[in-house]
Each structure stands twice: as structure tokens, then as C-alpha cells.
Amino acid sequence: MLKVGVRTHVRQLERGLMMATKYEYRTYVIELATEPGAVYVGQTAKAPQDRLAQHHAGIKAARVFKKGAYGRLRLDLCGTPSAFATRYEAVRAEQRLAKRLRRRGMKVYVG
């Protein structure tokens, strides 16, 4: 898949260009130790702990982690834990979560 922005990705999902899979998707938040007051918000079909390990190892890592950032999971910032049946739902939840954290005054990087 080509790298695209979140908005483009959501539009593709809305048009049915990307299909739902058998996975359950979850949102997660990583508090960045290298940048106080900043967090990274993402969504994954993996366990959030496994995805954090991938970011730190540079495997499918977000840009902020490729630049040397590291951090710890802050699932308490996600609100009520929930699983999403489609990636579309997870991307939308990721956007809402990022918006909510920005309103709380955090600098937010989004996957």
C-alpha cells in the first residue's frame, strides 16, 4: 500500500477501497519520554505492547520513532478500552482520541 495521509486513508476506507478483515483493531497512546508533554496515537490489529516493541525496534515504525523517540504505553489516556471490527472504525477512533488529547494541551503525533 502506498503511504498516504490519515484523511486520504479514511476516504479510501469510506469508499470501500480497503476492506474489513478478520482482525480486531485497537487504539493506543505512547507517552514520549524524549519529548515531555507529547504523545503518539495509533491503531493496530496487534496487542499494543507488541506494537510498541515494533516502534522501538524500527519495524513499521512511525516517523517520530524513526527520528529516535521512545516512550511507554499510556492506555489510561485511551479512555474505555474497546476493540473495533474494521480498520475504518479504528482510524476514526484514533482521530477522535488525538483531537481529545490535543484539547487537553498535549502535543500529539498520529500514525
Side-chain angles (χ1 to χ4, degrees):
M1 173 172 32
L2 295 173
K3 288 192 173 195
V4 295
V6 173
R7 287 188 182 117
T8 302
H9 186 72
V10 169
R11 283 193 298 269
Q12 289 176 343
L13 288 167
E14 287 171 343
R15 289 187 206 134
L17 298 176
M18 295 182 179
M19 305 303 286
T21 65
K22 62 183 177 183
Y23 302 108
E24 285 187 338
Y25 296 89
R26 290 177 172 72
T27 56
Y28 61 94
V29 176
I30 300 173
E31 181 179 43
L32 300 177
T34 51
E35 193 175 338
V39 295
Y40 172 82
V41 176
Q43 53 82 25
T44 185
K46 301 180 181 308
Q49 298 83 354
D50 294 341
R51 188 65 186 111
L52 174 65
Q54 283 185 322
H55 281 302
H56 287 168
I59 301 167
K60 295 186 179 179
R63 184 175 296 152
V64 67
F65 294 99
K66 288 181 180 178
K67 291 182 177 181
Y70 63 93
R72 65 185 179 103
L73 279 176
R74 287 290 307 272
L75 298 179
D76 58 306
L77 295 176
C78 291
T80 307
S82 59
F84 303 97
T86 66
R87 190 162 183 187
Y88 171 76
E89 293 169 351
V91 169
R92 297 298 270 195
E94 176 186 53
Q95 290 174 332
R96 288 189 304 271
L97 177 57
K99 187 175 183 179
R100 190 173 79 232
L101 294 175
R102 282 188 186 106
R103 282 194 303 255
R104 290 175 61 179
M106 297 179 170
K107 181 174 182 177
V108 179
Y109 296 94
V110 180

